[in-house]
Structure formats: structure tokens, C-alpha cells
């Protein structure tokens, strides 16, 4: 595979979510609604129209998350997405990473529509929340990630992981378990670095990071962004990251900034350009505040001005012209030198797309075969299971008890036909079929309710897991499916009545066989026993 860069471009991204539904009945069978062009004032595209039709009946409240977002991230550059909390940074990154489908707009990779599957192979995405295996050590976590994503000899994989650990300042915790809220492990900042390392280990062409510096001290944050900067410059990688309150030195490392507020782009360009625009608007940068921080702080003003502008757009053109002339005379355009913030910010949109080679070769396979992936994943799973001593112990005890119970139930079973259930064709009757569906539906809901009930009662996942499999298993065992009520030893009979499977099982029998006059036992070709009813 050639060492080429990737330009990632977002064009006209709109993203809306449905926050209220009218029809809840079939919601579980559908994807969460993400609604379209209700207030666009634009013709929906065919695909959107279809989705709209499907969902419009369900959604009565739509929330706009992103609105006409355009941006470009070039190879060898770091694009920082900034903005206040809730501005839509994470949503945009999820869309760029192909995790979420936008309501409208497209993502281009080197000026071609992105192929999601291919993009996943050449990119890395670090989510805002650290999703790690608490029982693995830092080194093991990275080793498994490297083994899955690299097709290199073990020695090289080890040395790459070791150097990454050193580079990210994780050397002192390399052999410490990651941990979670139950078992104390590495710190929050160290977890953040591990999450980054997992995605960096295979050296992706495009790296998308959602707040990589959150929870880090300023030195560590500097170190991380510095590492990403080096990655982008030396290897031509494209880095897109979101960040809150970057320091002076960090801001200097960004090649371009995308300032978001309320899902709209207020600035897309260099940091210097952002400073120039703010000054042109009469917003003087205070001492000891960097330009990005100041721009975020000034967003209130921008939003106010936007609202004024929107109101202004409502005024008829004729009146607007008169008022405009009056305003110019009153203030003197050249004296103030002020433009609306929106106008100025829009001017700074990046237009220089640069020279990108559209013929870049992206055909690459996964690093390892499916078989090897399964082996690596099985190894990891086995390690985790072995380390979950409580779960391992509970499962072993549970298996032993189940074995003993099974043995005690079936040890006196008679040979021959007696006690065995006959399996014959189901009742071919529409009412019986509907009844069958109803029973299935009831079983599903009953099982669901039992699980929810036990999950509320037990203290944690491990105990819950063991209890629920034991309870469900014994319910199944004593339901009458394997052994009839009369054959169950007296000391276990209570379980038959407690079993939640007994009732649907009998319901099925009644539904399928009652009054069907099916023959249950033949002798010399003649029917001996007919299924009339079940008591
Ligand atoms: N699935 C969803 N359901 C409801 N609201 C959502 C959903 N996804 C995003 N939002 C809302 O969209 C807005 C933007 O969210 P997003 O997480 O993208 O913001 P952000 O800029 O990354 O915020 P922060 O910096 O706090 O992480 C928020 O107000 C959030 O509540």
C-alpha cells in the first residue's frame, strides 16, 4: 500500500434527531428516528424522502443538531473542532467517522464519496468515553489491539507497543490493570492515553479524536497533541479532533479551526484568520486569553447578532434598504469598520481545497485473516474470563448444581414410550396460529420481566448473570418439557409450579393438540389413545 494522505471533506451536513414520537407501538422494530427536511425549505433527495415518509408519522418533535456544516481536513494537518458544550462537536465527529448517518449532506474522501467499510480500515476513531477492558493491563490492551490490526512478526508488534507506551508516558503503568469503578486501576488521564494508543497503534491515515485531552493535565495534553502533530507532519496523516479550552501552545499546533455554535459553523480557517476576524469585529483579544478561548467566550455575542440578523431578514426589502441607508449615514461604515459577525466568519471559510490526488489507492485488506482475528479475540476473552474469578467460580458451581439436579430428576426415569412426549405436526388452523403467536409474545415479555426484576434485585452484573442463568435453566428443566409432572420427584415438585415455562408450555399443548383428535398411541395400526383435552 502506498503511503498517501487523505483529505476528508464534509459538505452541507445537516443532522436532526427526533425527540418525540407519536406512535410508540412498533418503535422496537425500527431504527431510532433521525428526521429530515422539515424546515429546510429544500426539496428532499429521493433517499431522504423515503426515510422521511417512513418516519414522519412517528416523529412530532425534531431537534436540529447540525446545520449546513462544511469543512475540510487535509493530509499533514490537524483540524480542531471547537465550540461550547452541546455545540455539536461529537455529533460531527461521529458523522465524519461514519458511525452516524447525517440527515443530509455527504462526506468525501479525496473528493470521492466515502466507502464506509474501506474508511474503517484506514482510519481510527477515539470516542469521548473510554471503552476499555478493565481486567487487562495497559500493555495487554495495546498488544491485543496491535495483534488484531497489524500483520507483523510478534517481535515487531512488541517493539511498536513498547515505543508507543513510552511515547504516551504510560511506561510506569504498563503492567497495571486498566480497572473500572469497582476495581481501582489506572487514572482517568492514563485511560484517555490508552484509548488514543489503541487507535494509533496501526498508524491510520485519518485519525478522529473526540476530546483527546479531557482529563489530562496541561503537560500531558501538550504531549498528546504534540504527538498527533508529529504524526500528521511526518507521516502525512489527517488529524481531526475536538477540544475544550486548548492552551496557547496547543492552539499553535492546529492548522485549522472549525468553530461550531448551535450546530452551525462560525469559522473555518486558520487560527490567525480567526484572530483577524475577531479584531475586525471590534472584539479586542484580552491579555492571557488565547484566540480560540476568546472566540468561544464571544459566542453569546455572535448568537445575539445572528438573532438580530434573522429578524432583519424578516423586514421587507424596501424598508431594509431605507433603514440601511439611514444606518450608514448615522454611523459611517468606514468609521466603525464593523461587519456582522456572521458575514465575517463566513468569509473565512476555507476555499483552498489544495491539490489532492484523486487517484489514490485505498484498496487495502484487513491486517489479519478472519481465523487469526478469532484466535486473538478468543485469547483475549479467555484471559478476561479467567481473571473474572467470581464469575468463573459462580458458573462452575452453577454447572455442578445443574448437573446434580438433572441427575436426581432423571435417574429413575422409566424406559419405553411412557413419559416421552410425542412430537406431531402443529395445528393448521388460523385461530391456533394467532394463539401460538400470542403465547410466544407473552413468553418473551415474561422472560424480559423476570430478567429486569432480577437485575433490579442483584447487586452487580456478575451475580446477576449467575442468578439469572440458574433461575431460567431450572424453570426450563421443571417446566414439564423434559419430564412430565408425575415423573418429577416429590421434593422438586414445587419447582414445577414455580416454573414460568410450565404455563406457556401447557398453553402450547392445549393450542396444538386439544380436540385435534390426534392419535397419541397406535397398536397394530389402530389408534389406542386420542388427544382430546389436557387437564
Ligand atoms: N441521540 C441524541 N438524543 C438527544 N440529544 C442528542 C443526541 N445526540 C446529540 N444530542 C444533543 O445534540 C447536542 C450536541 O451534542 P454533542 O454531543 O454533539 O455536543 P458537543 O459539542 O460534543 O458537546 P460536549 O462538548 O459537551 O461533548 C447536545 O445538545 C445533545 O444533547
Amino acid at each position: 500500500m502506498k503511503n498517501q494522505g487523505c483529505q476528508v471533506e464534509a459538505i452541507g451536513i445537516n443532522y436532526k434527531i427526533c425527540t418525540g414520537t407519536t406512535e410508540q407501538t412498533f418503535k422496537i422494530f425500527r431504527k431510532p428516528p433521525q428526521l429530515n427536511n422539515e424546515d429546510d425549505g429544500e426539496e428532499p433527495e429521493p433517499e431522504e424522502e423515503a426515510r422521511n415518509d417512513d418516519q414522519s408519522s412517528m416523529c412530532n418533535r425534531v431537534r436540529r443538531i447540525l446545520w449546513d456544516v462544511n469543512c475540510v481536513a487535509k493530509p499533514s494537518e490537524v483540524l480542531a473542532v471547537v465550540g461550547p458544550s452541546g455545540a455539536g462537536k461529537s455529533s460531527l465527529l461521529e458523522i465524519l467517522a461514519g458511525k452516524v448517518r447525517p440527515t443530509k449532506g455527504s462526506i468525501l474522501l479525496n473528493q470521492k464519496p466515502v466507502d464506509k467499510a474501506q474508511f474503517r480500515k484506514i482510519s481510527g476513531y477515539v470516542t469521548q468515553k473510554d471503552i476499555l477492558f478493565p481486567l487487562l493491563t495497559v500493555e495487554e490492551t495495546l498488544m491485543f489491539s496491535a495483534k488484531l490490526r497489524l500483520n507483523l512478526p510478534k517481535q515487531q508488534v512488541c517493539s511498536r507497543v513498547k515505543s508507543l507506551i513510552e511515547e504516551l508516558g504510560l511506561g510506569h503503568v504498563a503492567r497495571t490493570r486498566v480497572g473500572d469503578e469497582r476495581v481501582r486501576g489506572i487514572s482517568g488521564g492514563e485511560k484517555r492515553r490508552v484509548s488514543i494508543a489503541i487507535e494509533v497503534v496501526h498508524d491510520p491515515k485519518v485519525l478522529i479524536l473526540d476530546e483527546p485531552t479531557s482529563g489530562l493535565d496541561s503537560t500531558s495534553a501538550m504531549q498528546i497533541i504534540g504527538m498527533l502533530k508529529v504524526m500528521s507532519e511526518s507521516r502525512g496523516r489527517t488529524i481531526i479532533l475536538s477540544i475544550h479550552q486548548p492552551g496557547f501552545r496547543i492552539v499553535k499546533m492546529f492548522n485549522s479551526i472549525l468553530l461550531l455554535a448551535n450546530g452551525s459553523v462560525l469559522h473555518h480557517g486558520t487560527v490567525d484568520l480567526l484572530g483577524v476576524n475577531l479584531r475586525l469585529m471590534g472584539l479586542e483579544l484580552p491579555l492571557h486569553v488565547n484566540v480560540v478561548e476568546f472566540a468561544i467566550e464571544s459566542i453569546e455575542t455572535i448568537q445575539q447578532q445572528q438573532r438580530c440578523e434573522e429578524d432583519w431578514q424578516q423586514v421587507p426589502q424596501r424598508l431594509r434598504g431605507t433603514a440601511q441607508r439611514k444606518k450608514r449615514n448615522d454611523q459611517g461604515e468606514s468609521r466603525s469598520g464593523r461587519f456582522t459577525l456572521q458575514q465575517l466568519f463566513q468569509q473565512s471559510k476555507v476555499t483552498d481545497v489544495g491539490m489532492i490526488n484523486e487517484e489514490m489507492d485505498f484498496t487495502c485488506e484487513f491486517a489479519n485473516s478472519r481465523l487469526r482475528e478469532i484466535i486473538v479475540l478468543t485469547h483475549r476473552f479467555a484471559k478476561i474470563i479467567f481473571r473474572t474469578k467470581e464469575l468463573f467460580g459462580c458458573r462452575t458451581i452453577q454447572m455442578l448444581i445443574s448437573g446434580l439436579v438433572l441427575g436426581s430428576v432423571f435417574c429413575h426415569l422409566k424406559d419405553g414410550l411412557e413419559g416421552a412426549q410425542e412430537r406431531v405436526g402443529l395445528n393448521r388452523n388460523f385461530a391456533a396460529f394467532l394463539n401460538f403467536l400470542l403465547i410466544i409474545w407473552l413468553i418473551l415479555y415474561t422472560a424480559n420481566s423476570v430478567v429486569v426484576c432480577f437485575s433490579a434485585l442483584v447487586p452487580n452484573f456478575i451475580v446477576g448473570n449467575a442468578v439469572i442463568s440458574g433461575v431460567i435453566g431450572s424453570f426450563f428443566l421443571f417446566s414439564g418439557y423434559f419430564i412430565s409432572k408425575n415423573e418429577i420427584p416429590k421434593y422438586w415438585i414445587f419447582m414445577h409450579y414455580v416454573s414460568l415455562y410450565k404455563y406457556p408450555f401447557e398453553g402450547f399443548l392445549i393450542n396444538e393438540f386439544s380436540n385435534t383428535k390426534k392419535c397419541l398411541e397406535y397398536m397394530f395400526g389402530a389408534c389406542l389413545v386420542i388427544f382430546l383435552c389436557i387437564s
Side-chain angles (χ1 to χ4, degrees), residues 54-68:
D54 183 43
Q55 295 169 355
S56 56
S57 60
M58 293 173 65
C59 195
N60 60 4
R61 245 181 307 135
V62 176
R63 180 150 173 232
R64 201 178 75 180
I65 308 292
L66 293 171
W67 180 249
D68 197 23

Side-chain angles (χ1 to χ4, degrees), residues 57-315:
S57 60
M58 293 173 65
C59 195
N60 60 4
R61 245 181 307 135
V62 176
R63 180 150 173 232
R64 201 178 75 180
I65 308 292
L66 293 171
W67 180 249
D68 197 23
V69 173
N70 295 291
C71 67
V72 57
K74 296 180 194 171
S76 310
E77 287 192 0
V78 178
L79 166 69
V81 182
V82 298
S85 188
K89 302 182 291 295
S90 302
S91 306
L92 178 62
L93 294 187
E94 279 181 349
I95 290 170
L96 289 174
K99 304 285 171 196
V100 171
R101 199 159 62 131
T103 313
K104 198 170 182 206
S106 43
I107 306 292
L108 302 183
L109 191 65
N110 287 347
Q111 299 172 347
K112 286 181 187 160
V114 67
D115 172 4
K116 268 191 202 166
Q118 208 62 45
F119 188 61
R120 263 186 219 139
K121 291 180 203 166
I122 60 156
S123 66
Y125 175 50
V126 181
T127 54
Q128 199 169 359
K129 198 166 183 282
D130 301 307
I131 304 162
L132 302 165
F133 290 101
L135 295 170
L136 297 182
T137 66
V138 169
E139 194 176 16
E140 284 167 348
T141 305
L142 297 185
M143 275 304 284
F144 280 121
S145 175
K147 277 184 192 167
L148 273 174
R149 290 161 172 223
L150 296 168
N151 188 9
L152 296 173
K154 197 176 171 195
Q155 227 173 2
Q156 282 184 36
V157 171
C158 285
S159 72
R160 188 181 277 216
V161 166
K162 280 207 171 83
S163 57
L164 196 56
I165 285 176
E166 290 310 319
E167 204 170 339
L168 285 162
L170 291 167
H172 61 293
V173 286
R175 281 163 207 276
T176 308
R177 285 192 191 175
V178 171
D180 56 12
E181 58 281 352
R182 284 186 312 114
V183 186
R184 185 82 183 94
I186 59 176
S187 75
E190 285 158 352
K191 278 186 191 152
R192 202 78 203 105
R193 279 181 264 173
V194 174
S195 301
I196 295 169
I198 288 174
E199 292 301 323
V200 171
V201 76
H202 66 302
D203 193 18
K205 283 177 187 294
V206 180
L207 186 57
I208 299 171
L209 309 102
D210 199 351
E211 298 191 16
T213 57
S214 72
L216 296 183
D217 58 273
S218 60
T219 315
S220 309
M222 244 320 270
Q223 218 176 348
I224 297 282
I225 304 292
M227 187 198 78
L228 295 172
K229 180 76 179 166
V230 169
M231 223 179 120
S232 73
E233 282 179 346
S234 62
R235 305 193 48 78
R237 300 313 186 211
T238 311
I239 313 283
I240 307 169
L241 55 92
S242 68
I243 194 162
H244 268 293
Q245 297 182 314
F248 274 102
R249 287 178 302 163
I250 286 181
V251 166
K252 275 191 185 162
M253 287 194 253
F254 299 147
N255 298 90
S256 55
I257 298 276
L258 182 80
L259 176 63
L260 283 181
N262 276 347
S264 298
V265 177
L266 293 186
H267 172 84
H268 182 204
T270 60
V271 181
D272 292 341
L273 197 55
L274 178 63
V276 171
N277 284 338
L278 288 170
R279 269 194 296 280
L280 281 172
M281 281 179 275
L283 295 166
E284 223 25 74
L285 189 66
L287 275 178
H288 311 301
V289 179
N290 73 55
V291 67
V292 173
E293 256 185 282
F294 183 56
I296 295 171
E297 279 171 21
S298 309
I299 273 169
E300 271 293 305
T301 326
I302 298 169
Q303 283 171 333
Q304 265 176 7
Q305 207 151 341
Q306 271 182 340
R307 276 194 289 275
C308 292
E309 266 179 49
E310 277 163 20
D311 293 345
W312 182 242
Q313 297 298 325
Q314 306 298 319
V315 179

Side-chain angles (χ1 to χ4, degrees), residues 280 324-340 343:
L280 281 172
Q324 231 157 12
R325 275 194 297 280
K326 188 174 181 311
K327 196 175 168 195
R328 275 183 206 153
N329 290 341
D330 288 347
Q331 295 183 342
E333 205 173 33
S334 57
R335 182 175 59 80
S336 71
R338 290 186 182 206
F339 298 86
T340 66
Q343 279 169 345

